[in-house]
Amino acid sequence: MNRLLKPLKKLPHLIKEFRNSLDKNKYDCINIYFQDESRFGLMTKQKRVLVSKGIKPIGKYQHSYKWLWLWGCFSPVTGDAFYWETSHVGNDIFEGFLNDFSRTNPRELKLLIIDNAGFHACQNITIPENIKLIRIPAYAPELKPAEKVWQWMKGKVAMKFFKSTKSLQNKITEMVDQLKPDLVKSITGYELYTKTFYEQISS
């Protein structure tokens, strides 16, 4: 863990730097978000279940290669969340997602913590002015609380049988509606980030 935390030692400085340079003519506040995307499909997700001793668990299973991608940003500070649904991932999709996210509360400066997925490359895309990207180390999902949101959602679709992508979309919409601010904060509120954020904002 210490090895993974080294690249985040600059986080307090970055937050303080962004706060001190905040243009009050453009922004009213500053917030921190975790961004990630995850694939949901019609292939039945299996998990362990409890049954009586000697009873073989039986569940419906569907083998299908129909998928959709859910993109999300989650704030451990306010519990705000933003979602996008796409049929695939790519650099152009990432750019469109950022542009749409930037238009949500445009007077908020958004510090967006992302991973190093290939389609997060930013050399050929334009980053909105009110979004600042902060990267975590590669292969460090434990530093990305957004993973816990997907874990929560996939736990609710595990062992379920969806006949169409439309029925899966309806279930995803239902789960998104359940992710109220307090629940988002309880899932993503890693002290590593929230304590650092509050210390630098209040100092």
Side-chain angles (χ1 to χ4, degrees):
M1 178 61 78
N2 289 336
R3 176 186 63 83
L4 296 175
L5 293 180
K6 284 182 180 179
L8 292 181
K9 285 186 175 180
K10 294 181 179 179
L11 185 62
H13 172 73
L14 287 173
I15 294 175
K16 190 171 185 177
E17 183 180 284
F18 290 137
R19 188 205 68 177
N20 291 340
S21 62
L22 193 70
D23 186 343
K24 294 185 179 180
N25 293 318
K26 293 182 179 180
Y27 306 114
D28 298 323
C29 58
I30 185 171
N31 200 355
I32 189 169
Y33 291 86
F34 306 110
Q35 187 279 327
D36 197 29
E37 55 286 317
S38 188
R39 190 174 68 172
F40 291 78
L42 298 188
M43 186 176 294
T44 308
K45 179 178 174 58
Q46 296 182 312
K47 68 174 182 179
R48 292 183 177 182
V49 295
L50 293 175
V51 296
S52 299
K53 186 176 181 180
I55 301 297
K56 182 179 180 179
I58 299 175
K60 291 183 178 180
Y61 178 79
Q62 178 173 247
H63 195 80
S64 173
Y65 291 105
K66 292 183 179 180
W67 312 91
L68 57 85
W69 288 83
L70 190 62
W71 299 63
C73 293
F74 311 97
S75 170
V77 176
T78 62
D80 290 340
F82 176 79
Y83 305 90
W84 241 39
E85 182 187 299
T86 63
S87 60
H88 60 285
V89 294
N91 221 214
D92 56 332
I93 301 294
F94 183 52
E95 183 175 26
F97 173 79
L98 293 179
N99 286 330
D100 213 11
F101 180 46
S102 73
R103 290 189 284 269
T104 302
N105 194 2
R107 291 187 61 84
E108 174 189 72
L109 182 63
K110 309 172 193 301
L111 310 184
L112 196 60
I113 294 179
I114 65 174
D115 61 21
N116 293 280
F119 44 83
H120 289 169
C122 301
Q123 294 90 337
N124 300 315
I125 68 173
T126 301
I127 309 299
E129 188 178 9
N130 65 337
I131 293 180
K132 304 298 181 182
L133 301 181
I134 301 173
R135 294 184 182 274
I136 62 171
Y139 310 111
E142 59 268 52
L143 298 181
K144 189 169 58 172
E147 294 278 3
K148 294 294 185 180
V149 178
W150 305 140
Q151 185 179 23
W152 180 87
M153 295 181 75
K154 290 186 176 182
K156 291 185 174 298
V157 299
M159 305 301 289
K160 300 292 192 301
F161 184 84
F162 298 96
K163 294 183 178 180
S164 66
T165 53
K166 181 62 179 177
S167 61
L168 175 60
Q169 287 171 320
N170 290 339
K171 180 61 178 179
I172 289 174
T173 299
E174 176 188 313
M175 293 187 293
V176 165
D177 289 341
Q178 293 175 18
L179 281 163
K180 304 300 184 185
D182 284 346
L183 180 55
V184 171
K185 287 192 289 186
S186 71
I187 295 174
T188 63
Y190 286 20
E191 186 178 3
L192 165 67
Y193 296 105
T194 56
K195 183 179 180 180
T196 300
F197 180 81
Y198 285 123
E199 286 177 347
Q200 298 308 315
I201 292 301
S202 61
S203 61

